[in-house]
Amino acid sequence: MRFLRTFTALLFAAAALTAPASAEALSLEGVGTFESPTYVTSDPGDANRLFVVERPGRIQLTEAGNTTTFLDIESLVLSPPEPGTGNNEGGLFSMAFSPGYAADGLFYVVYRGVDDPDTGGEDESGDWHLDEFSANGDTADPASRREVLTVDYPSADLNAQLHYGGQLEFGPDGYLYASIGDGGPQGDPNGNAQDVTDLFGSILRIDPSGSSPGEYSVPSDNPFAGTAGCADGCDEIWSYGLRNPWRFSFDRETGALAIGDVGQSTWEEVDYEPVSAELGRGDNFGWNCREGAHPYPGPGEPAPVCADRVGTFTEPVFEYQHLDGNCSVTGGYVVRTLSLGDLFGRYLYADFCVGELRSLSLGLPAAGGDRSEGLSVPFVTSFGEDADCRIYVASLTGPVYRLTEPAAGAPAGCPAELPPSTSPASTLPPSNAFSFGKVKRNKRKGTATLTVIVPGPGTLVLTGKGLVKQRPSGASRAARIVAKTVSAAGKVKLKVRSKGKKKRTLNRTGKVKVKAKITYTPTGGDPNKKSKRIKLVKRL
């Protein structure tokens, strides 16, 4: 995250905590001071048991004014070097309690890890780790650690901008969602975020349940479940095309997903996916073909894969430019505590370098009503939400605050919220989101093979002027249109060729463009149509 390399330069210029404009405005109540806090949450069954994640590798439990260490895994966590010595990305990023925490005592953490000398071989320093721990009352034993998922990161230069993401949240469907950055370096030159054969630049979705190291399961309705050819596994991917989704959250009332994705050098963005849009299932948010809603790296420079995917990206609902000191978005929560007046139902966010708390109304196709809330906190690393929907703000300098409003008689607590799920079970309709892969041409035959990536079982139909399939002997003319049954998620190949005038043009000139119209209908779902222009080439 960009804040981790700009922290030193800004620390000495940080303004004091900005006071509200009036007695009726929002205010900040101090919870405590911690060592580089990166996340705040509460016991799902007791909002007064507050947990603060500290970047060096500890989780502190604050209750009734007393603070004790809940978990210390500093020996496992690769903390960043002192500010000013290079890239400072690293540490313990966040945590999430199991939906059944009251009974099973399980919770999950994500962090940048140190090398494990017991494994031998390649240096594992800097890898992304998702681990499970078990708690007993007010403490968790580090020895209860169970490794769930580890993603290898480049380790040749630990000062490179590697982008870790680092958010964990259980969704309204009971599954665990986790964010992971593009893996760096700057600009994602390897195209990781656009490559669904690796996990980088994505929101992952899994059922972390298991008893042995590395044991978890992938929901069958994940968009790439069953895809062949994944180098490091891609079944876990829920959505992709993200640069550094440092913080995301689910709306406690509607279940909608909001993502704050840290930009490169010009634009910061917020992405929004309501349940009706399947929470972004299989969506491509565009990086590194786009930064915010803008082409990246610039006019005339996009990679070939970007040109092939124009029109398929899911655009942000809100973006802002790097002006007046802005540098890095810290995504927050849709406010659902009843005590915060007209902030209720609005999405709260901040920029790390500026620190001003702002809010907006999320919606499709665009958010609206962006405004300042009259408060600033230096170096906002994260927002937090407790079991009573109260909102917290953490500063990298140490303080953690609770957002309050001094309105006499204001109601407290959550509205009729989504109940936590104790057994993962997806209620989302089958996705009809699909994308195009590579096109391979056969110059001898003047045909092309179009790869279509589908999220699950269904039917693919290829139509378009001049597009035919080789007709079996005795078949009707209608059989020339490809109608292919898809039995699972993955890559499907369709043959494209020309006929009639387009075939004569191809034979005469050696090239012709045809417009392929693809309709994908998932089993039990609604059809979705997309078009792609394909150049056919024939050797004369």
Side-chain angles (χ1 to χ4, degrees):
M1 188 172 180
R2 187 178 296 105
F3 70 74
L4 299 176
R5 60 184 164 91
T6 58
F7 176 59
T8 303
L10 290 169
L11 179 59
F12 301 104
L17 188 67
T18 301
S22 71
E24 297 303 319
L26 298 172
S27 62
L28 294 165
E29 175 187 351
V31 172
T33 299
F34 304 85
E35 185 176 356
S36 301
T38 54
Y39 190 62
V40 187
T41 187
S42 80
D43 185 320
D46 187 348
N48 294 317
R49 287 167 53 83
L50 198 66
F51 294 81
V52 178
V53 176
E54 294 181 324
R55 190 172 164 202
R58 294 178 298 275
I59 300 175
Q60 304 291 358
L61 167 60
T62 295
E63 183 178 16
N66 297 317
T67 298
T68 57
T69 299
F70 176 70
L71 175 71
D72 186 344
I73 55 169
E74 192 170 356
S75 62
L76 301 176
V77 174
L78 182 62
S79 293
E82 290 300 316
T85 60
N87 169 50
N88 289 328
E89 297 208 19
L92 182 58
F93 301 130
S94 71
M95 67 180 299
F97 289 99
S98 161
Y101 179 71
D104 60 32
L106 299 178
F107 65 97
Y108 301 86
V109 301
V110 61
Y111 61 93
R112 184 187 189 192
V114 299
D115 181 42
D116 184 352
D118 293 336
T119 61
E122 185 178 350
D123 186 358
E124 300 162 331
S125 298
D127 287 353
W128 183 97
H129 292 266
L130 168 58
D131 289 353
E132 175 189 272
F133 289 89
S134 177
N136 182 10
D138 292 344
T139 60
D141 184 357
S144 68
R145 175 193 180 207
R146 183 178 71 86
E147 298 175 74
V148 178
L149 174 62
T150 301
V151 178
D152 295 337
Y153 260 69
S155 58
D157 181 5
L158 293 180
N159 283 328
Q161 291 287 331
L162 299 181
H163 310 153
Y164 280 84
Q167 178 72 35
L168 294 178
E169 290 272 2
F170 277 90
D173 53 13
Y175 290 118
L176 181 62
Y177 291 71
S179 66
I180 183 168
D182 65 15
Q186 295 289 70
D188 190 17
N190 298 317
N192 290 335
Q194 286 296 312
D195 184 357
V196 295
T197 65
D198 64 49
L199 300 183
F200 294 116
S202 304
I203 301 289
L204 312 180
R205 177 180 181 249
I206 65 170
D207 176 357
S209 302
S211 56
S212 60
E215 184 179 356
Y216 63 91
S217 59
V218 174
S220 61
D221 60 343
N222 270 18
F224 304 106
T227 299
C230 294
D232 194 20
C234 61
D235 297 359
E236 299 91 343
I237 294 175
W238 179 253
S239 54
Y240 65 107
L242 295 160
R243 181 180 178 274
N244 196 4
W246 168 246
R247 290 291 173 253
F248 68 86
S249 62
F250 292 97
D251 185 337
R252 287 282 286 275
E253 186 172 84
T254 69
L257 172 66
I259 307 167
D261 191 20
V262 178
Q264 172 73 25
S265 57
T266 308
W267 295 96
E268 303 297 308
E269 73 177 76
V270 173
D271 302 298
Y272 173 68
E273 295 290 352
V275 173
S276 60
E278 300 184 283
L279 300 179
R281 182 180 188 273
D283 280 8
N284 180 355
F285 292 105
W287 175 255
N288 67 347
C289 296
R290 301 175 76 77
E291 183 183 11
H294 308 270
Y296 182 88
E301 299 179 22
V305 67
C306 299
D308 290 344
R309 294 179 181 177
V310 169
T312 67
F313 302 126
T314 298
E315 302 291 359
V317 296
F318 177 73
E319 62 176 9
Y320 66 88
Q321 203 165 0
H322 288 187
L323 300 173
D324 302 322
N326 288 316
C327 74
S328 177
V329 66
T330 301
Y333 291 82
V334 174
V335 177
R336 291 301 178 188
T337 179
L338 296 169
S339 63
L340 294 183
D342 68 352
L343 192 56
F344 183 88
R346 294 176 62 84
Y347 177 73
L348 193 65
Y349 75 97
D351 185 273
F352 175 79
C353 291
V354 174
E356 181 182 40
L357 305 190
R358 302 186 65 87
S359 73
L360 50 85
S361 296
L362 295 176
L364 296 176
D370 181 42
R371 75 186 189 199
S372 171
E373 295 301 332
L375 293 170
S376 290
V377 173
F379 311 115
V380 177
T381 54
S382 186
F383 292 88
E385 183 184 50
D386 69 21
D388 281 345
C389 294
R390 293 175 296 188
I391 299 295
Y392 299 81
V393 188
S395 168
L396 189 62
T397 60
V400 170
Y401 304 96
R402 180 184 294 115
L403 197 60
T404 64
E405 184 176 22
C414 303
E417 62 186 83
L418 294 171
S421 174
T422 55
S423 57
S426 175
T427 58
L428 299 175
S431 173
N432 62 6
F434 67 95
S435 60
F436 297 122
K438 294 181 180 179
V439 175
K440 292 186 178 180
R441 299 177 179 85
N442 186 321
K443 291 185 178 181
R444 186 177 64 83
K445 295 182 179 180
T447 61
T449 301
L450 170 63
T451 298
V452 182
I453 304 171
V454 298
T459 304
L460 273 174
V461 176
L462 168 65
T463 58
K465 191 173 182 180
L467 304 183
V468 300
K469 179 184 178 182
Q470 290 182 338
R471 184 175 59 183
S473 177
S476 67
R477 292 182 61 85
R480 293 188 176 190
I481 303 299
V482 171
K484 187 160 187 173
T485 300
V486 181
S487 59
K491 298 178 181 179
V492 182
K493 296 181 178 180
L494 301 178
K495 184 176 287 187
V496 178
R497 62 186 303 185
S498 60
K499 69 172 185 177
K501 292 182 179 180
K502 290 190 179 295
K503 183 175 182 179
R504 291 194 292 272
T505 301
L506 178 64
N507 290 333
R508 184 177 71 253
T509 66
K511 58 183 178 180
V512 66
K513 285 186 178 180
V514 296
K515 187 175 183 180
K517 298 179 181 179
I518 309 294
T519 301
Y520 167 64
T521 306
T523 302
D526 298 323
N528 186 19
K529 299 179 181 179
K530 292 183 182 179
S531 296
K532 184 176 180 65
R533 291 193 176 276
I534 299 174
K535 183 179 180 180
L536 299 179
V537 180
K538 189 172 184 179
R539 184 181 292 115
L540 297 177

